[in-house]
């Protein structure tokens, strides 16, 4: 009796947006799963990043994913009945139907990233549905279903979503998401291959085609010219720190330039929040993540280039680690935006005392309001799920993966737009060749620092690149001791704090130095098995046709 008016479908589709995984808790989804928790960049360790997690009876991401998919399939089933019963034409409800196809792709993709191949569900499940006892689909079948749903969304959604529809999925947003999916799966199949497939997955996959399609999809978004990098560095009051303020835009007092969130045309898929209406980021899930939970490791800090565009180990501009502020000199402005470098540079922040091996000597600033504009739990800036910067980086990476090279012209319409906001020199083939660099490594570096702490990008990246084993099954380094202010000052650092010892030859920007281990490789038996989570045990008991992931 409900789905007999077009407005009913619009209202039902609006509910799907709550399934976007944001800092606002929805059905218990954890915020840790959309930051860089558990990776080598973060001092807040998780068992899954150490390779210590075990199979559990239930998994909230499995439960939520299929719960969301069931409501989505309900709308699609009722859309067919809307026409069959003569309530109207499919054209009356084409937009909410297209949104449903997008969100079915979104939820299946979340399941794929976590578990690999999963049961594809395109019907409304009931207690007697055969699909509840069906075997898993392979990842290759799942990805094709995801792409098919996205194709419907791209074809039938409006090209833009502005004004009262801001925050809704547009055709361009679905296209940008398609580029993300294609790059993920294409590179997973290229580097990880079939090694994580469950028994009975069969053969399949089309890595080279997916990567080529990722190039096409990303370039199509660029050519539509609907989005742009939010770069206000020409405004002196912004002090070349547009990146810092991008993630906390609210009212005019939320940044030194007086810009509001209305000035931001970089977020392609975003959750919209509003302080006055009470729709805020709080609710016990978000706490401005400025403390130890997102504190950087030294590995994270050393990823940021110097202003000449070079890694610190290759640049004469790097000033070393003598004081806390020294390492921020001549560095990528995203380093300050993420870790509060300006406060240190200005000398207004006391030198942190290292009193525990897991203490970081820095905190995270990304998503932290400026000047106490909002108190913890009342933040209402919009949260990005996919930004235009990611599209540019996807284009560059996919192009290099496809061709094994990338022209300076293509770098200029992609990576270098992002680097310009960061205040560092352009990435060019000459810079790479003259300094013994690897172009793919540099493109990946850009992606890592630009998308830090966003939508679990780095966690997904290091698995699809098949670099996670080397990165995570290793000593995690917290901070440099040798030659720093912690070396000789017992008031700042007591050597007995280093309970896991030191890396004596940490490959820093000033050569091998002594650095504190905050989590030793003996604590981190991480293997390729850990690229996927185990299926929840209760599901495999209820449905004995579900094959568990390898080695679980």
């Amino acid at each position: 009796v409900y789905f007999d008016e077009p407005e009913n479908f619009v209202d039902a589709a609006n509910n799907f947006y709550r399934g976007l995984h944001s800092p606002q808790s929805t059905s218990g989804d954890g915020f840790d799963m959309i930051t860089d928790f558990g990776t080598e960049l973060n001092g807040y360790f998780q068992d899954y990043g150490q390779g210590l997690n075990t199979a559990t009876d239930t998994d909230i991401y499995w439960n939520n994913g299929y719960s969301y998919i069931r409501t989505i399939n309900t709308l699609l089933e009722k859309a067919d009945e809307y026409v069959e019963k003569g309530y109207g034409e499919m054209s009356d409800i084409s937009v909410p139907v297209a949104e449903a196809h997008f969100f079915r792709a979104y939820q299946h993709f979340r399941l794929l990233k976590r578990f690999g191949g999963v049961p594809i569900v395109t019907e409304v499940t009931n207690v007697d549905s055969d699909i509840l006892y069906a075997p898993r689909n392979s990842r290759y079948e799942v990805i094709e279903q995801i792409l098919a749903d996205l194709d419907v969304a791209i074809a039938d959604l409006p090209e833009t979503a502005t004004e009262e529809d801001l925050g809704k999925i547009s055709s361009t947003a679905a296209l940008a998401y398609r580029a993300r999916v294609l790059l993920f799966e294409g590179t997973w199949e290229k580097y990880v291959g079939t090694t994580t497939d469950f028994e009975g997955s069969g053969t399949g996959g089309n890595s080279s085609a997916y990567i080529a399609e990722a190039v096409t999809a990303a370039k199509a978004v660029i050519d539509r010219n609907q989005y742009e990098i939010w770069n206000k560095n020409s405004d002196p009051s912004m002090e070349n720190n547009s990146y810092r303020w991008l993630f906390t835009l609210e009212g005019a007092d939320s940044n030194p330039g007086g810009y509001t969130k209305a000035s931001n045309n970089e977020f392609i898929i975003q959750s919209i929040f509003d302080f006055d209406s009470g729709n805020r980021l709080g609710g016990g899930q978000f706490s401005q993540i400025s403390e130890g939970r997102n504190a950087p490791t030294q590995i994270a800090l050393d990823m940021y280039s110097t202003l000449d565009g070079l890694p610190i180990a290759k640049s004469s501009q790097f000033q070393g680690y003598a004081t806390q502020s020294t390492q921020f000199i001549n560095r990528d402005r995203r380093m300050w935006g993420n870790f509060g470098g300006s406060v240190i540079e200005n000398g207004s922040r006391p030198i942190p005392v290292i009193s525990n091996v897991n203490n970081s000597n820095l905190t995270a600033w990304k998503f932290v309001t400026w000047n106490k504009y909002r108190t913890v739990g009342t933040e209402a800036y919009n949260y990005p799920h996919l930004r235009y910067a990611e599209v540019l980086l996807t284009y560059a990476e996919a192009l290099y993966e496809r061709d094994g090279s990338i022209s300076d012209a293509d770098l200029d319409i992609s990576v270098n737009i992002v680097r310009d906001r960061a205040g560092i020199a352009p990435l060019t083939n000459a810079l790479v060749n003259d300094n013994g660099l690897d172009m793919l490594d540099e493109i990946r570096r850009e992606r890592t620092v630009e998308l830090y702490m966003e939508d679990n990008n780095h966690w997904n990246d290091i698995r699809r690149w098949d670099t996670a084993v080397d990165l995570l099954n290793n000593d995690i380094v917290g901070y440099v001791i040798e030659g720093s202010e912690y070396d000789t000052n017992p008031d700042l650092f007591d050597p007995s704090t280093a309970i896991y010892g030191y890396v004596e030859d940490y490959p820093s920007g000033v050569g091998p130095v002594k650095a504190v281990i905050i989590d030793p490789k003996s604590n981190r038996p991480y293997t390729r098995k850990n690229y996927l989570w185990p299926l929840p045990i209760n599901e495999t008991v209820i449905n004995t046709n579900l094959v568990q992931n390898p080695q679980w």
Side-chain angles (χ1 to χ4, degrees):
V1 299
Y2 179 70
F3 288 94
D4 57 3
E5 297 287 343
E7 292 78 10
N8 301 153
F9 289 88
V10 173
D11 291 341
N14 285 345
N15 186 57
F16 300 155
Y17 289 86
R18 289 192 58 79
L20 285 170
H21 197 183
S22 82
Q24 188 178 69
S25 179
T26 302
S27 303
D29 279 358
F31 183 58
D32 60 318
M33 294 306 300
I34 54 173
T35 69
D36 289 326
F37 290 174
T39 71
E40 82 287 4
L41 304 182
N42 189 275
Y44 188 76
F45 307 124
Q46 296 282 355
D47 57 1
Y48 54 78
Q50 296 170 306
L52 297 173
N53 58 311
T54 58
T56 55
D57 289 341
T58 62
D59 187 293
I60 193 169
Y61 300 100
W62 178 283
N63 294 346
N64 284 352
Y66 283 111
S67 178
Y68 294 138
I69 288 170
R70 188 180 190 281
T71 63
I72 292 163
N73 286 333
T74 297
L75 185 150
L76 293 174
E77 181 182 273
K78 294 300 180 182
D80 291 336
E81 293 181 9
Y82 177 82
V83 176
E84 292 168 1
K85 293 180 177 180
Y87 294 135
E89 302 298 326
M90 188 62 75
S91 59
D92 301 340
I93 55 175
S94 60
V95 171
V97 166
E99 288 175 288
H101 280 280
F102 172 84
F103 281 103
R104 190 164 69 182
Y106 176 87
Q107 295 300 340
H108 274 117
F109 188 48
R110 284 190 68 194
L111 289 165
L112 175 79
K113 288 183 291 183
R114 187 171 178 85
F115 301 108
V118 293
I120 297 171
V121 180
T122 57
E123 63 185 67
V124 179
T125 48
N126 292 297
V127 292
D128 58 350
S129 296
D130 291 341
I131 189 65
L132 296 180
Y133 303 97
R136 299 171 67 175
N137 292 95
S138 70
R139 69 177 303 115
Y140 315 108
E141 294 169 320
V142 176
I143 201 69
E144 286 301 311
Q145 177 63 47
I146 291 167
L147 294 173
D149 275 329
L150 288 175
D151 286 342
V152 174
I154 292 166
D156 293 341
L157 286 168
E159 190 167 304
T160 60
T162 58
E163 297 178 352
E164 68 271 11
D165 288 330
L166 186 67
K168 288 201 168 188
I169 301 298
S170 67
S171 173
T172 305
L175 185 61
Y177 197 79
R178 191 177 198 274
R180 174 188 282 186
V181 169
L182 289 163
L183 181 64
F184 177 90
E185 184 60 21
T187 50
W188 185 288
E189 292 181 15
K190 180 175 181 177
Y191 294 107
V192 182
T194 61
T195 58
T196 58
D197 288 356
F198 64 88
E199 185 178 354
S201 287
T203 59
N206 203 348
S207 173
S208 59
Y210 291 153
I211 290 170
E213 288 183 54
V215 175
T216 301
K219 187 59 163 60
V221 175
I222 294 170
D223 290 344
R224 288 190 180 186
N225 200 31
Q226 293 180 14
Y227 297 95
E228 62 183 357
I229 295 297
W230 192 80
N231 187 352
K232 305 299 181 183
N233 289 351
S234 60
D235 181 342
S237 67
M238 296 294 280
E239 299 177 337
N240 292 321
N241 288 316
S242 296
Y243 182 87
R244 161 68 175 100
W245 312 118
L246 170 64
F247 303 100
T248 57
L249 284 172
E250 283 198 62
D253 292 333
S254 65
N255 60 88
Y259 299 97
T260 69
K261 64 172 69 176
S263 68
N264 176 16
N265 196 31
E266 182 171 340
F267 293 179
I268 299 177
I269 300 177
Q270 59 183 322
S271 290
I272 305 294
F273 296 97
D274 180 70
F275 181 83
D276 292 333
S277 69
N279 182 25
R280 305 169 187 174
L281 277 159
Q285 187 77 155
F286 201 69
S287 60
Q288 296 203 18
I289 52 180
S290 60
E291 299 177 344
R293 296 191 75 193
N294 275 287
T297 62
Q298 193 65 56
I299 299 165
L301 296 171
D302 287 349
M303 289 200 70
Y304 292 82
S305 302
T306 45
L307 297 180
D308 55 11
L310 293 172
I312 59 175
K314 298 280 187 176
S315 177
S316 61
Q317 292 186 347
F318 181 61
Q319 300 298 303
Y321 309 93
T323 67
Q324 183 63 274
S325 63
T326 306
Q327 62 183 317
F328 283 85
I329 299 172
N330 299 329
R331 298 293 290 281
D332 184 327
R333 295 308 295 177
R334 290 171 294 197
M335 184 178 178
W336 177 84
N338 286 335
F339 307 119
S342 180
V343 174
I344 298 168
E345 290 169 2
N346 293 339
S348 59
R349 177 178 174 176
I351 300 171
V353 176
I354 306 301
S355 59
N356 181 288
V357 71
N358 295 128
N359 287 161
S360 175
N361 48 8
L362 287 171
T363 55
W365 270 35
K366 195 166 184 176
F367 300 111
V368 176
T369 58
W370 177 60
N371 238 7
K372 299 182 179 179
Y373 178 74
R374 295 291 184 213
T375 58
V376 172
T378 67
E379 304 91 337
Y381 38 80
N382 297 344
Y383 182 80
H385 300 282
L386 195 158
R387 295 189 283 123
Y388 187 55
E390 181 185 335
V391 173
L392 300 180
L393 294 166
T394 292
Y395 176 69
E397 183 184 342
L399 189 61
Y400 190 89
E401 290 283 6
R402 187 191 72 181
D403 299 341
S405 63
I406 184 171
S407 69
D408 286 352
D410 279 316
L411 288 168
D412 284 343
I413 65 168
S414 57
V415 172
N416 288 333
I417 297 176
V418 178
R419 284 167 75 101
D420 179 63
R421 174 169 61 190
I424 59 176
L427 180 63
T428 65
N429 282 278
L431 184 79
V432 168
N433 295 333
D434 293 348
N435 292 280
L437 303 175
D438 180 278
M439 180 63 80
L440 183 58
D441 285 346
E442 294 310 303
I443 292 171
R444 289 177 173 181
R445 178 200 303 276
E446 281 301 310
R447 183 178 177 90
T448 300
V449 298
E450 176 68 26
L451 302 179
Y452 177 73
M453 282 174 54
E454 292 181 53
D455 210 31
N456 220 6
N457 274 293
H458 186 58
W459 179 244
N460 292 324
D461 287 346
I462 60 177
R463 291 184 298 144
R464 67 182 177 89
W465 296 333
D466 195 22
T467 59
V469 170
D470 290 337
L471 292 170
L472 300 182
N473 189 12
N474 214 331
D475 294 325
I476 303 299
V477 172
Y479 33 91
V480 170
I481 294 297
E482 184 176 340
S484 77
E485 55 204 341
Y486 296 104
D487 200 1
T488 58
N489 190 338
D491 292 331
L492 296 178
F493 174 70
D494 181 349
S496 66
T497 300
I499 58 175
Y500 299 124
Y502 305 88
V503 174
E504 298 291 343
D505 56 352
Y506 172 69
S508 77
V510 291
V513 294
K514 181 179 179 181
V516 169
I517 297 172
I518 58 175
D519 198 46
K521 56 187 175 183
S522 59
N523 285 354
R524 311 181 67 82
Y526 188 91
T527 67
R528 195 179 278 169
K529 155 194 169 180
N530 301 103
Y531 282 15
L532 297 177
W533 271 254
L535 270 60
I537 294 171
N538 285 352
E539 299 297 327
T540 62
V541 171
I542 294 169
N543 178 6
T544 56
N545 290 316
L546 290 179
V547 178
Q548 185 58 277
N549 278 327
Q551 302 180 55
W552 286 103

